[in-house]
């Protein structure tokens, strides 16, 4: 990859509704990490709800208008790239941009289509907005900004307290990378951005097969039974992989796996206990940021027991290494193995 | 855990039930080439919701191809799709299957079908909250859904852990400027155009169910 641009990285920032309430710690830790890594975030002024999932399930133009209003507001910051930590907001904003770019077609493909439907998505959105729709603003996930703009090498160089010994399951959620044509980030079936970022933080990333499986999304309220079944699968797989923590990038995944853990455990008859921090919280810890700025106390399942396990594991590994040291001379010519944090796990 | 609901076996009279314009309508609204679906089942193979569906997603696609309007619009599956995008990502013919499911849900709403009432209630309550506050007011949404969704105590146990961690604001975080009014205007225009337009088939009031008297 080409070296990052020397000028300071500044983007518009769209927090999203969850980040003012149930996911306040995601917002706080995202801002803290960006500040520490030299990324300036300019809040989208007077932002409103992007429409999230409910809007597109009712009407695509309504969803487009709710998202487009925020893209217009983002353009007011003078920065055309707007970043958001929330994958749901990201999908809403990117979907709107995608369809706003569609050009009018004289309906050659479906000649039977009703004639009145010849107008574009843009015209319909503008009718709801009652003003011209945005042209330039484009949303990008915070994870993508950190991994691609800041870069994994720069992050690794900024790490002060590596998360040595901490076994993490990277859980991307279903829409961070899907569909690939729309999200245009990482691999849709086996994304690795989070893996690379956490490895740079010194953590041990387990090979997690359920990286992009759905957790039950917004069904926690209307169909708790469905969400319980799906989240239990994620937790079970993380346990089978020997993960101490499940790292998330989505406020809805976090809520289902953490806040609703009691409900999930009760339905599954299990006692899954892994904490579910946001990736920005672990990144913040690795960068040496104060815990209070990362909102660790807001996690329902506390992170500290896992950090203590990791510290113990790291200490034991160090002791074992030291015990082996006298033998090291014999193997001096052998190339070092196991330096890569990615390791084989039984579930691979 | 709830037992997945399968439809009772019944004969489908293909000739009698067929609505030849249905596939064209869905194709037009979704912008997808529906005749290219050759029923490989890749969408269903990756769908984690199949267990809860009455028709697996590839069969929903087939219902559309066969022009079986009522079966497609009255099925539970279109309401239980979470838009996780696995189907869209994996379709070998590049059909945006999740968008087709979305469009079927829009059409089902307009036709007055809502076999998963609680999903519709949740969606309507969410949008009512946005229309009223400009942003989702989570505590308000939870309270409204608890009352309207018929499961008032389901999430009662979540209140305390959220409150003690400062995760549940009891007052809405409304946008400071014109945002709140602009969002309300978007909703009112949406309702007005939907009622004026031919697409307003909904017999009852507003197409997204968010009436201003909602207390979200």
């Amino acid at each position: 990859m080409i070296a990052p641009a020397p000028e300071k990285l500044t983007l518009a920032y769209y927090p999203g509704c969850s980040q003012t309430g149930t996911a306040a710690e995601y917002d706080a830790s995202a801002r803290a990490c960006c500040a520490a890594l030299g990324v300036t975030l300019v809040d989208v002024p007077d932002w409103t709800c992007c429409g999230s999932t409910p809007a597109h399930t009712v009407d695509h133009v309504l969803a487009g208008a709710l998202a487009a209003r925020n893209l217009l507001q983002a353009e007011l910051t003078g920065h055309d790239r707007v970043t958001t930590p929330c994958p749901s907001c990201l999908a809403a904003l990117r979907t709107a941009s995608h369809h706003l770019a569609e050009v009018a077609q004289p309906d050659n493909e479906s000649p039977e289509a009703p004639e009145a439907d010849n107008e574009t998505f843009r015209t319909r959105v503008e009718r709801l907005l009652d003003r011209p729709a945005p042209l330039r603003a484009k949303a990008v996930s915070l994870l993508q900004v950190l991994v691609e703009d800041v870069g994994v090498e720069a992050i690794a160089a900024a790490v002060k307290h590596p998360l040595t010994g901490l076994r993490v399951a990277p859980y991307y959620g279903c829409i961070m990378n899907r569909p690939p044509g729309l999200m245009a980030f990482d691999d849709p079936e086996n994304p690795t951005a989070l893996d690379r970022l956490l490895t740079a933080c010194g953590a041990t990333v387990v090979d997690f097969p359920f990286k992009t499986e759905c957790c039950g999304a917004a069904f926690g309220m209307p169909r708790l039974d469905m969400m319980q079944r799906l989240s239990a699968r994620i937790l079970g797989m993380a346990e089978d992989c020997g993960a101490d923590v499940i790292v998330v990038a989505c406020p809805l995944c976090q809520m289902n796996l953490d806040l609703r853990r009691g409900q999930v455990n009760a339905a599954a008859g299990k006692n899954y206990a892994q904490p579910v921090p946001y990736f920005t919280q672990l990144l913040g810890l690795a960068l040496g940021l104060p815990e209070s700025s990362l909102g660790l106390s807001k996690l329902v399942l506390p992170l500290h027991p896992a950090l203590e396990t990791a510290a113990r594991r790291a200490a034991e590994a160090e002791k074992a290494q030291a015990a082996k040291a006298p033998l090291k001379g014999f193997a001096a010519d052998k190339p070092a193995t196991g330096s890569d944090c990615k390791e084989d796990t039984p579930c691979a | 855990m709830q037992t997945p609901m399968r439809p009772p076996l019944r004969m489908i009279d293909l000739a009698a039930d067929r609505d030849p314009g249905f596939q064209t309508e869905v194709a037009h609204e979704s912008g997808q080439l529906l005749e290219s679906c050759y029923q490989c089942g890749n969408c269903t193979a990756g769908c984690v919701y199949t267990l809860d569906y009455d028709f697996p997603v590839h069969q929903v696609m087939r219902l559309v191809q066969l022009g079986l309007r009522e079966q497609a619009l009255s099925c539970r599956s279109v309401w239980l799709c979470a838009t996780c995008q696995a189907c869209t990502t994996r379709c070998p013919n590049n059909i945006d299957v999740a968008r087709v499911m979305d469009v079927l849900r829009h059409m089902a709403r307009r036709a007055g079908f809502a076999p998963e009432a609680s999903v519709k209630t949740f969606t309507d309550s969410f949008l009512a909250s946005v229309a009223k506050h400009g942003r989702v007011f989570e505590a308000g949404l939870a309270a409204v859904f608890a009352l309207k969704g018929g499961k008032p105590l389901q999430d009662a146990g979540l209140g305390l852990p959220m409150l003690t961690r400062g995760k549940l604001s009891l007052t809405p975080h409304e946008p400071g400027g014109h945002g709140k009014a602009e969002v309300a205007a978007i909703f009112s225009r949406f309702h007005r155009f939907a009622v004026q337009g031919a697409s307003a088939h909904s017999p009852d009031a507003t197409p997204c169910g968010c009436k201003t008297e909602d207390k979200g």
Side-chain angles (χ1 to χ4, degrees), chain A residues 157-191:
Chain A
V159 166
K160 292 199 180 82
H161 301 298
L163 306 169
T164 316
L166 187 67
R167 295 172 58 89
V168 300
Y171 180 49
Y172 294 74
C174 54
I175 52 171
M176 176 71 90
N177 312 95
R178 300 196 307 208
L182 180 67
M183 303 317 267
F185 168 48
D186 211 344
D187 187 284
E189 299 289 0
N190 183 24

Side-chain angles (χ1 to χ4, degrees), chain A residues 37-48:
Chain A
L37 292 167
V39 181
T40 306
L41 302 175
V42 182
D43 279 41
V44 172
D46 198 24
W47 61 270
T48 48

Side-chain angles (χ1 to χ4, degrees), chain B residues 49-113:
Chain B
Y49 291 93
T50 302
L51 214 63
D52 302 288
Y53 280 5
D54 43 7
F55 289 97
V57 59
H58 75 285
Q59 286 185 10
V60 174
M61 296 295 285
R62 192 70 182 135
L63 289 175
V64 175
Q65 288 181 326
L66 291 171
L68 298 176
R69 181 190 293 269
E70 193 178 331
Q71 282 87 339
L73 297 188
S74 65
C75 76
R76 292 174 179 278
S77 308
V78 298
W79 293 88
L80 299 179
C81 165
T83 324
C84 82
Q85 305 283 5
C87 51
T88 296
T89 301
R90 294 169 190 171
C91 176
N93 292 324
N94 292 319
I95 300 174
D96 189 341
V97 185
R99 195 162 178 89
V100 174
M101 293 293 270
D102 240 7
V103 162
L104 291 174
R105 200 161 17 199
H106 303 168
M107 295 169 86
R109 255 176 192 272
R110 298 196 302 250
F113 292 108

Side-chain angles (χ1 to χ4, degrees), chain A residues 293-332:
Chain A
S293 71
L294 303 172
L296 291 193
S297 61
K298 287 189 183 290
L299 298 173
V300 174
L301 288 133
L303 182 60
H304 272 283
L307 295 176
E308 282 153 22
T309 304
R312 247 193 332 269
R313 192 179 287 134
E316 278 165 22
E318 207 168 304
K319 220 192 295 177
Q321 195 69 29
K324 265 198 247 166
L327 297 171
K328 217 176 173 182
F330 295 103

Side-chain angles (χ1 to χ4, degrees), chain A residues 108-266:
Chain A
N108 288 331
E109 281 178 27
S110 49
E112 315 97 298
E115 267 180 43
D117 274 5
N118 243 342
E119 49 184 358
T120 59
F121 184 76
R122 174 173 287 273
T123 16
R124 292 181 205 185
V125 165
E126 288 178 340
R127 198 176 305 141
L128 290 191
L129 285 175
D130 204 22
R131 57 174 162 150
L135 292 165
R136 305 182 312 272
K138 188 105 194 223
V140 57
S141 78
L142 182 71
L143 178 62
Q144 185 168 5
V145 169
L146 292 178
V147 169
E148 292 183 357
D149 293 69
V150 176
V152 176
E153 296 80 8
I155 289 174
V159 166
K160 292 199 180 82
H161 301 298
L163 306 169
T164 316
L166 187 67
R167 295 172 58 89
V168 300
Y171 180 49
Y172 294 74
C174 54
I175 52 171
M176 176 71 90
N177 312 95
R178 300 196 307 208
L182 180 67
M183 303 317 267
F185 168 48
D186 211 344
D187 187 284
E189 299 289 0
N190 183 24
T192 57
L194 209 45
D195 299 45
R196 286 177 279 140
L197 182 138
L198 292 165
T199 302
C201 292
T204 303
V205 179
V206 305
D207 204 348
F208 189 52
F210 280 5
K211 282 177 174 181
T212 61
E213 290 288 291
C214 185
C215 67
F219 283 116
M221 276 198 216
R223 281 294 301 267
L224 181 63
D225 60 314
M226 284 168 51
M227 173 262 144
Q228 283 167 321
R229 175 173 70 80
L230 294 173
S231 280
R233 290 174 79 221
I234 312 283
L235 295 171
M237 183 55 85
E239 185 170 277
D240 290 348
C241 292
D244 301 320
V245 303
I246 302 170
V247 184
V248 293
C250 170
L252 205 48
C253 299
Q254 208 279 340
M255 182 192 275
N256 286 343
L257 297 176
D258 185 44
L259 178 67
R260 292 185 181 275
R261 178 70 59 90
Q263 294 175 330
V264 174
N265 276 347

